[in-house]
């Protein structure tokens, strides 16, 4: 009875022992969880560098850090979407669309909706966003999993494109719509809009001009065809009845028509 009493632990003793051990394990788990949830952050030098590139000094740098955090790291934060740039990307896409629509309407007051839509979709595309991000040199600042180092879709870097949209939203959250509009106008309108316009088919642009000005649509006539069959030279007249005409040459009928349309359109716009 005495020996048994020495080795026997009462239920109360067991409870006290379990209570002493639990806090330590709980503290360890809590510490590990906190470490896993620590957000990626730019250091002061990186922050100053990227803010100079994008032209916005953040009052709350957390918006910037989040905009640069790729969803490939989301599992590091218990799947919490707030820790990646996905939600900011969603918002930034809508802000970009709004601002770009405003800018195109202001830049092309006489153009029809169809013409504006074609340019709009080019300017808000992933390719355009990636080009902006590459020009700004964003890639080295992104927080992303090593498996995403070569993440490209087709001909553009999707990680960079998504980060640009997220940065638009981060600027909007931090500084308002005017600040976001400023970022977009600095990086899109001065270059990309003019380039996209110049790449449009001149015949399409001439037709859009005719529609916007309620003029007859252009007619194309072959004025002359010269040269051997393997190297023909076409001379084509582009004519808008009652408005004007222009003649140009090309190595094919299509090339000559486009050249004539471009020349006529430039003359018409000069006289607007």
């Amino acid at each position: 009875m005495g020996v048994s009493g020495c080795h026997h632990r009462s239920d109360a003793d067991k409870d006290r022992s379990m209570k002493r051990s639990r806090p330590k394990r709980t503290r360890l788990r809590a510490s590990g969880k906190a470490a896993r949830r620590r957000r990626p952050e730019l250091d002061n030098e990186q922050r100053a560098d990227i803010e100079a590139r994008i032209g916005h000094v953040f009052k709350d740098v957390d918006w910037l850090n989040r905009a640069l955090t790729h969803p490939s790291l989301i599992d590091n934060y218990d799947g919490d979407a707030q820790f990646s740039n996905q939600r900011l990307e969603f918002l930034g896409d809508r802000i970009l669309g709004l601002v770009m629509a405003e800018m195109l309407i202001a830049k092309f007051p006489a153009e029809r909706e169809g013409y504006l839509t074609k340019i709009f979709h080019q300017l808000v595309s992933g390719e355009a966003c990636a080009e902006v991000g590459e020009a700004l040199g964003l890639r080295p600042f992104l927080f992303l999993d090593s498996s995403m180092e070569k993440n490209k879709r087709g001909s553009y870097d999707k990680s960079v494109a998504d980060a640009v949209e997220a940065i638009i939203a981060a600027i909007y959250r931090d500084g308002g719509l005017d600040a976001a509009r400023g970022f977009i106008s600095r990086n899109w309108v001065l270059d990309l809009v003019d380039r996209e316009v110049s790449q449009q088919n001149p015949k399409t642009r001439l037709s859009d001009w005719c529609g916007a000005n309620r003029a007859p649509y252009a007619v194309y006539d072959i004025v002359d065809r010269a040269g051997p069959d393997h190297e023909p030279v076409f001379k084509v007249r582009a004519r808008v009845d009652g408005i004007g005409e222009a003649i140009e040459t090309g190595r094919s009928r299509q090339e000559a028509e486009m050249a004539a349309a471009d020349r006529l359109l430039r003359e018409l716009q000069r006289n607007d």
Side-chain angles (χ1 to χ4, degrees):
M1 182 74 176
V3 174
S4 176
C6 291
H7 292 281
H8 179 70
R9 298 175 64 191
S10 69
D11 290 342
D13 291 336
K14 291 178 181 179
D15 287 343
R16 282 193 293 272
S17 176
M18 290 175 67
K19 288 179 181 177
R20 284 194 298 270
S21 62
R22 279 175 188 156
K24 184 176 181 181
R25 290 197 299 270
T26 302
R27 284 195 299 270
L28 289 173
R29 284 198 299 266
S31 175
K33 189 173 183 180
R36 291 179 64 205
R37 291 177 65 87
R38 185 176 302 158
R39 300 181 182 184
E41 293 180 354
L42 298 166
D43 61 33
N44 290 336
E45 184 178 350
Q46 291 171 323
R47 175 184 177 179
D49 189 351
I50 194 169
E51 287 181 334
R53 291 169 188 250
I54 66 179
H56 180 80
V57 177
F58 282 82
K59 296 185 288 290
D60 183 356
V61 73
D62 184 57
W63 289 119
L64 178 58
N65 288 325
R66 187 178 300 177
L68 298 172
T69 303
H70 190 269
S72 60
L73 297 179
I74 200 169
D75 287 341
N76 294 1
Y77 309 109
D78 301 325
D80 187 347
Q82 293 285 352
F83 286 94
S84 80
N85 63 13
Q86 281 182 314
R87 292 168 62 87
L88 287 176
E89 176 200 342
F90 172 82
L91 178 59
D93 177 65
R94 275 69 186 169
I95 297 169
L96 174 60
L98 169 64
V99 172
M100 190 56 62
E102 289 179 340
M103 290 179 171
L104 290 176
I105 287 174
K107 188 174 180 66
F108 305 106
E111 296 293 353
R112 292 185 298 176
E113 181 269 344
Y115 176 74
L116 297 177
T117 297
K118 285 185 291 187
I119 299 176
F120 174 86
H121 286 306
Q122 291 294 323
L123 293 172
V124 300
S125 67
E127 289 89 342
C129 290
E131 187 171 339
V132 169
E134 288 165 6
L136 292 172
L138 291 185
R139 181 77 186 193
F141 296 93
L142 299 187
F143 302 112
L144 71 173
D145 186 79
S146 59
S147 65
M148 304 301 295
E149 286 298 327
K150 297 181 179 180
N151 177 41
K152 288 191 176 184
R153 176 177 294 177
S155 60
Y156 74 96
D157 191 327
K158 188 175 184 302
S159 297
V160 171
D162 293 346
V164 167
E165 291 183 332
I167 286 172
I168 291 171
I171 294 173
Y172 168 76
R173 288 292 199 188
D174 188 73
L177 184 57
D178 284 343
R181 184 183 286 114
F183 172 79
I184 294 168
S185 65
R186 287 192 300 274
N187 291 284
W188 266 267
V189 173
L190 297 181
D191 178 31
L192 289 176
V193 170
D194 292 333
R195 191 186 65 201
E196 290 298 334
V197 171
S198 69
Q199 290 176 349
Q200 294 290 316
N201 187 320
K203 293 176 66 176
T204 301
R205 289 191 285 124
L206 179 56
S207 292
D208 288 336
W209 185 93
C210 292
N213 290 274
R214 299 184 178 181
Y217 285 102
V219 176
Y220 299 89
D221 303 310
I222 298 177
V223 175
D224 188 28
R225 184 189 184 282
D229 289 342
H230 68 282
E231 277 186 336
V233 176
F234 290 85
K235 182 181 288 185
V236 169
R237 176 191 295 112
R239 173 171 46 90
V240 177
D241 288 339
I243 303 293
E245 63 179 47
I247 296 176
E248 280 291 350
T249 60
R251 290 171 294 180
S252 68
R253 177 174 179 169
Q254 171 121 0
E255 182 178 300
E257 288 181 352
M258 292 175 66
D262 184 64
R263 179 174 177 179
L264 177 55
L265 180 61
R266 282 187 279 112
E267 291 178 0
L268 295 174
Q269 290 175 330
R270 192 179 301 121
N271 296 328
D272 280 349

